[in-house]
Each structure stands twice: as structure tokens, then as C-alpha cells.
Amino acid sequence: MAERLRNWAGNIEFGPARVHRPETVEEVRRIVAGAERVRVLGTGHSFNPIADTPGDLISVAGLPADIRIDRERGTVSVAGGVRYGELARALDAAGYALHNLGSLPHISVAGAVATGTHGSGVGLGNLATAVAGVEIVTGGGELVSLGRGDADFAGSVVALGALGVVVRVTLDVVPAYRVSQHVFERLPRAQLDAHWEEIAGAGYSVSLFTGWRGDTVDQVWVKRREGDAPAPAELFGAGPAGGARHPIAAMSPVNCTEQGGVPGPWHARLPHFRLEFTPSAGDELQSEYFVARADAVAAFAAVERVRDLVVPALQISEIRTVAADGLWLSPHYERDSVALHFTWVPNNDLVLRAVDALEAELAPLRARAHWGKVFRRAPRLPRARDFVGLAERLDPRGTFRNAFVERHVWAE
Ligand SMILES: Cc1cc2nc3c(=O)[nH]c(=O)nc-3n(C[C@H](O)[C@H](O)[C@H](O)COP(=O)(O)OP(=O)(O)OC[C@H]3O[C@@H](n4cnc5c(N)ncnc54)[C@H](O)[C@@H]3O)c2cc1C
């Protein structure tokens, strides 16, 4: 019998007939060539059955990391299963950095890129926008390389695992930089509406945390690069925190990255949590919706209209920004976005009631859901049909399709 596998949050039990842990690309090719239905598992940090299959599940965690920096091109190439934390350490040691990071360094590069995982920053695209090339083992077991500039490239980066096994990813790098972060507390709710653009742009990367409860936003985390203008003494009525903070104010900040304006390496400030802190399993579910950044104030009002359903299911919400990109299945496709994230309690009934209410309220704003989190209504993306065409060309037998992508991409 196949081993029993769950995702990080524990809310999804995968049901593959076989699990493979190949150690070479050749092995990946052989497994794919001999299989009827295949899906790939990264680090299993998605909250829905996106990676599931009744056929063969391939974990790419065992492929050698093989981190190669190309100083002339300004890129790094890595095995798809490498985690951002490991990559960040290697890059920083060589004097390089990525433009942005998500909140957790434990996720794999190919898995994060496949769902359009993002950090925050009005000028910063999601993590997939740093991809300059991919090497994919496609349906028949062939190894296909696609690079920026190739006709199919924009469809093959945020690809939900539906094109094949991404065995290598090449990413743009920049010279290493230092970042400091300041936490401000109790932003008057009315100031958020009045000064949204200034607050979102108050640093290289800005995140707001709120429980949608009172007349203040709990915290604003402002991350600034060395050389940026100095941090203000207060932010539209929000004052500096009197010590280190966890996004959920009642929790210990011991695992949070250093605050208080102390500069540090990019990878030790852009994520909210320390690299060496490894959450083994998550007592939470997550959802996230993206609307145009220009519609942010309307989106905040929409959430507040269903506050009665959201608050009982909520641990904390985070508000971030993501710059527009041209990647076909990216939720940020051609739209500068505000991201409304919800960390829920692990109670499916409460969460689905809140999700249904949110999706109904946010629909007029053409909200797009995060592919890797809990949602009901698939994001409607203008290039989805082009993606289906590309997938059917690269994988005519549908080897890499599963119920999730058929329902949310093919049937849409
Ligand atoms: C605690 C926590 C914090 C998070 N923070 C953020 C955040 O800050 N920002 C954000 O946007 N999201 C965030 N997420 C969501 C997370 O980034 C995404 O779900 C991401 O896709 C997970 O990556 P993974 O490696 O675990 O991929 P998995 O969940 O294992 O897989 C996701 C998809 O990628 C595909 N895939 C994985 N590896 C490959 C490969 N080598 N080749 C082809 N396809 C592949 C899978 O088939 C699947 O379709 C968070 C999740 C958790 C649990």
C-alpha cells in the first residue's frame, strides 16, 4: 500500500497509488514515461488538493540541489525542489539576493513558483517573476527547456504542475542588500482608507496585520532597504511598537525576524519568520484574494460587510501588495494587486462559510484567489484558454492533469 501523505496543514490526505522520490533527472524521466497520471509534490505547503493524484506522485525533494550562480548573466539555477531558505543562504554567501521572498522560507522554489507565491511590495512582482528559465520533464518523459523570450514561456512558469515536472529553475539575482524593519501599531482604520497608497508604499515591502475587529489596524510592518529614506517617527497615526512583535499581538515574537530598525541581510528581514524556526505542522488554514490595488479601499469595505462571518473563523489577516506581471496563470496577471490574506482557525465549516461570504462580496471587484490556498471560485484569468492550449500541446495525453486543474482551469 502507498504511504499515507498529508499536506503541511494536515487538511488534505493525498491519495496516490505510488509515491516516488527520484534522485536524478533520468529517474524522473523514466517514472514519467512509464506512468499514466502524474503529479509533483513540492514541500506540501498548499492548503488544497492541487498536488494530489490517484496515480503517481513524484517528490522532487531528493534531486541534488546543484545551486549554480552565473555572475555574467546575473542568474542562479537550482533544482526545483530546493527550498528558498537554502537558496537564500547560498546566494547571500556569494554576495547575491532575490528581489523578494514569501513569508516562509521552507517552501520549494518550483512549488512556490507554480502557484504564483508572492511577498509584498508595490514595485515587487511575485516570486515567479524572477524566473528566467525552466527545465521541465513533460508527458512522454522528454526534457524541455524554456527561457524568457520563448513564445510559450509566459505560460510555463505559474503552471500549477500541469505541464510536467520542473526539475530546474533559473532565477534572476541582484547584488545582496540589507533591510531594516519597523513595526507600527494601531493605525486608525480611517487613515488606511485615506492614505492607502502612501502606506502601501512606505517601504520596499510593507505588510499590514488586522483582525478586522475594531477601528484600528493592529500592525504595519515596514521593511526598508539600506539607503532608503529614514523610517518616519509615526505612520498616519500609528506609533512605533515598544518592542518586538508577532503578527498576532498576543503571541511571542521569539520566532519573528529582527525588528526595531536593526539592519540585516535581505533574507533575514523580508520573511516575517526566522529561517531556523521550522513550524512542523500548521494549526491553521489559509485563503487569499487579489484585487486591483486601486480597488483596495473598496475591498476593505467588502471584507467588513461580512465581518460577522470572517471574525469567528479568523486568526489574523495580512494585507500586502504585488506588482503586475505577464504570466498567464498568475493571479497578478496584468494587474497591480492588493492581497487580502486570511489565516483561519482549522475549522473547515467556519472557514467555508467565511470564504463563501468573502467571495460573494469580492466578486464585483473581480477578485482572484491564490491557487495554493482554500477557495471555491477559481480565479478567472484572461489567458487561461491559452494555457490549456499549451498544456495540451506539451502533454497531449493529459498525464499531468488532476481533478483540481480540470475543475479550476479546464472547465472554467
Ligand atoms: C505557513 C505558510 C505560509 C505561506 N506564506 C505564503 C506567502 O507568504 N505568500 C504566498 O503567496 N503564499 C504563501 N503560502 C502558500 C505557499 O507558498 C504555496 O502554496 C506554495 O505553492 C507552496 O509551495 P510547495 O513547495 O509546498 O508546493 P506544493 O504545495 O507541494 O505544490 C504546489 C503546486 O506546485 C506543483 N509543484 C511543486 N513542485 C513542482 C515541480 N518541481 N514541478 C512541477 N510542479 C510542481 C504541485 O504539483 C502543485 O500543483 C504559504 C503557505 C504556508 C503553509
Side-chain angles (χ1 to χ4, degrees):
M1 202 172 101
E3 62 185 287
R4 295 172 88 87
L5 275 181
R6 285 186 174 273
N7 65 340
W8 175 85
N11 64 318
I12 303 290
E13 181 169 344
F14 300 114
R18 288 162 294 277
V19 179
H20 307 268
R21 301 182 190 281
E23 292 176 5
T24 65
V25 172
E26 273 317 303
E27 225 183 305
V28 173
R29 296 180 65 177
R30 270 200 307 277
I31 296 163
V32 172
E36 220 171 284
R37 281 276 183 272
V38 180
R39 290 294 287 176
V40 193
L41 187 63
T43 56
H45 280 78
S46 296
F47 292 86
N48 60 41
I50 188 169
D52 200 12
T53 179
D56 292 79
L57 190 64
I58 300 182
S59 161
V60 287
L63 294 177
D66 194 14
I67 299 176
R68 283 184 245 150
I69 295 172
D70 184 330
R71 291 177 187 270
E72 255 166 50
R73 289 206 170 88
T75 57
V76 63
S77 135
V78 292
V82 167
R83 296 173 184 241
Y84 274 96
E86 183 184 354
L87 172 60
R89 282 203 173 115
L91 281 177
D92 197 54
Y96 289 98
L98 298 170
H99 78 295
N100 204 359
L101 288 170
S103 61
L104 200 69
H106 308 96
I107 51 177
S108 77
V109 173
V113 159
T115 63
T117 291
H118 62 95
S120 189
V122 290
L124 304 179
N126 67 35
L127 303 188
T129 63
V131 175
V134 282
E135 286 177 36
I136 312 177
V137 174
T138 56
E142 303 85 19
L143 186 61
V144 173
S145 292
L146 288 163
R148 213 181 260 141
D150 290 338
D152 294 333
F153 180 72
S156 49
V157 183
V158 180
L160 318 183
L163 300 184
V165 187
V166 176
V167 288
R168 276 196 90 69
V169 185
T170 302
L171 300 167
D172 295 334
V173 294
V174 296
Y177 52 91
R178 290 171 72 76
V179 175
S180 59
Q181 63 181 336
H182 290 84
V183 175
F184 297 88
E185 290 181 307
R186 289 181 292 280
L187 173 74
R189 176 65 190 81
Q191 295 286 60
L192 176 62
D193 284 0
H195 298 284
W196 156 244
E197 282 292 334
E198 294 141 282
I199 293 165
Y204 181 69
S205 174
V206 174
S207 294
L208 295 92
F209 293 95
T210 178
W212 301 106
R213 286 184 185 90
D215 52 8
T216 57
V217 169
D218 306 358
Q219 299 176 15
V220 187
W221 291 35
V222 180
K223 302 176 195 245
R224 314 166 82 82
R225 279 176 71 146
E226 215 162 47
D228 288 350
E234 56 109 51
L235 194 69
F236 299 102
R245 292 289 182 268
H246 186 283
I248 300 175
M251 290 182 71
S252 161
V254 62
N255 294 319
C256 294
T257 48
E258 187 155 1
Q259 305 159 18
V262 181
W266 57 283
H267 62 86
R269 296 292 181 277
L270 290 177
H272 304 322
F273 298 100
R274 290 176 193 271
L275 193 57
E276 56 277 17
F277 159 62
T278 308
S280 53
D283 224 3
E284 65 188 61
L285 295 174
Q286 297 185 7
S287 300
E288 191 164 32
Y289 297 97
F290 308 97
V291 305
R293 203 175 80 219
D295 289 333
V297 170
F300 303 151
V303 176
E304 284 168 342
R305 281 198 295 278
V306 290
R307 184 191 261 154
D308 288 356
L309 290 169
V310 167
V311 168
L314 190 68
Q315 299 199 48
I316 195 73
S317 252
E318 182 175 5
I319 301 168
R320 290 179 280 185
T321 55
V322 193
D325 60 58
L327 303 171
W328 298 351
L329 285 195
S330 164
H332 321 110
Y333 179 77
E334 293 195 341
R335 195 162 84 175
D336 284 328
S337 303
V338 57
L340 304 173
H341 163 89
F342 302 84
T343 298
W344 306 118
V345 295
N347 177 325
N348 216 35
D349 291 342
L350 281 181
V351 169
L352 290 180
R353 280 169 57 196
V355 159
D356 285 336
L358 278 171
E359 293 189 0
E361 283 302 319
L362 290 170
L365 299 174
R366 294 180 300 126
R368 298 168 177 172
H370 190 306
W371 287 114
K373 302 188 180 180
V374 176
F375 66 86
R376 297 257 226 204
R377 200 180 294 210
R380 304 241 154 76
L381 295 162
R383 303 297 296 274
R385 284 287 109 200
D386 294 324
F387 177 80
V388 167
L390 171 62
E392 291 180 351
R393 217 163 5 95
L394 285 183
D395 180 24
R397 286 192 301 139
T399 309
F400 286 97
R401 283 160 66 168
N402 67 356
F404 180 96
V405 298
E406 292 199 341
R407 173 159 171 225
H408 295 302
V409 185
W410 264 260
E412 280 298 319

